[in-house]
Amino acid sequence: MKNRLYVTISNESKRLIIFLLLLYSPMIGAQGLDGVEQLVHRCFPALSSHIVFEQIPKADSIADAFSLQTRNGTLYIGATSPSAAASGVYHYLREYCRTSISHNGDNLNLPEKWVEIPQRVTVSSPFEYRYALNYCTYSYSYPFYQWKDWERELDWM
């Protein structure tokens, strides 16, 4: 029989924990877009000084969403999650700047002047879950990856 340790938490402690979670949860969500800012700085340095990310609340009826709009030469991307923010960057580059990024190669002829989006454009995902890779990737590709390949793969995901 295994020895088990049980910890009893008082009601006051439970209230304090809930209070702290509620107090810091907006900060945790806002910090979640820092990784996407780093991604843009690493992969598209010319764009990084012209982009601002904003956390937006998630509506119950959608799985994930982002919005795009430019104001005074700055691209504002509102997003419900880091994944949605990265999708917003990709959407802007693909649909407005006519560039492409893929596993097979990139066409990153970025424009000298960033394309303006005067009216807010909102795109919501119809999917609740997203995934990457398939079962073959682990044995066909990954054994031969170097750090450069892993970094690109992680940025792509």
Side-chain angles (χ1 to χ4, degrees):
M1 179 177 222
K2 294 182 179 179
N3 293 333
R4 296 181 185 208
L5 175 66
Y6 293 96
V7 177
T8 304
I9 300 174
S10 68
N11 285 336
E12 290 81 20
S13 296
K14 289 177 187 176
R15 286 188 203 115
L16 178 62
I17 291 169
I18 291 170
F19 173 75
L20 291 173
L21 286 173
L22 291 172
L23 179 68
Y24 288 107
S25 63
M27 293 179 204
I28 292 168
Q31 292 173 350
L33 301 181
D34 289 347
V36 182
E37 289 178 6
Q38 294 169 14
L39 168 81
V40 171
H41 184 70
R42 187 172 48 255
C43 297
F44 317 106
L47 179 60
S48 65
S49 62
H50 301 282
I51 192 167
V52 173
F53 291 99
E54 301 171 325
Q55 186 84 31
I56 58 175
K58 192 178 216 176
D60 292 335
S61 61
I62 59 171
D64 237 344
F66 64 84
S67 64
L68 305 173
Q69 185 176 18
T70 51
R71 296 188 299 264
N72 301 322
T74 300
L75 173 64
Y76 288 85
I77 297 181
T80 57
S81 70
S83 177
S87 296
V89 172
Y90 180 72
H91 184 84
Y92 175 75
L93 292 171
R94 187 187 70 227
E95 298 298 323
Y96 294 95
C97 299
R98 302 294 182 221
T99 64
S100 65
I101 305 163
S102 74
H103 278 101
N104 298 322
D106 299 335
N107 173 18
L108 286 176
N109 295 322
L110 297 173
E112 289 183 28
K113 184 174 188 267
W114 297 106
V115 179
E116 295 287 323
I117 307 173
Q119 299 294 321
R120 180 179 297 264
V121 173
T122 301
V123 177
S124 59
S125 173
F127 306 108
E128 184 175 355
Y129 302 105
R130 288 179 251 185
Y131 63 92
L133 312 177
N134 63 41
Y135 63 90
C136 294
T137 307
Y138 300 105
S139 58
Y140 290 172
S141 304
Y142 283 171
F144 306 101
Y145 269 25
Q146 302 299 314
W147 171 245
K148 177 183 70 140
D149 304 311
W150 279 110
E151 188 174 40
R152 180 169 170 80
E153 185 73 23
L154 293 170
D155 285 344
W156 173 253
M157 283 195 257

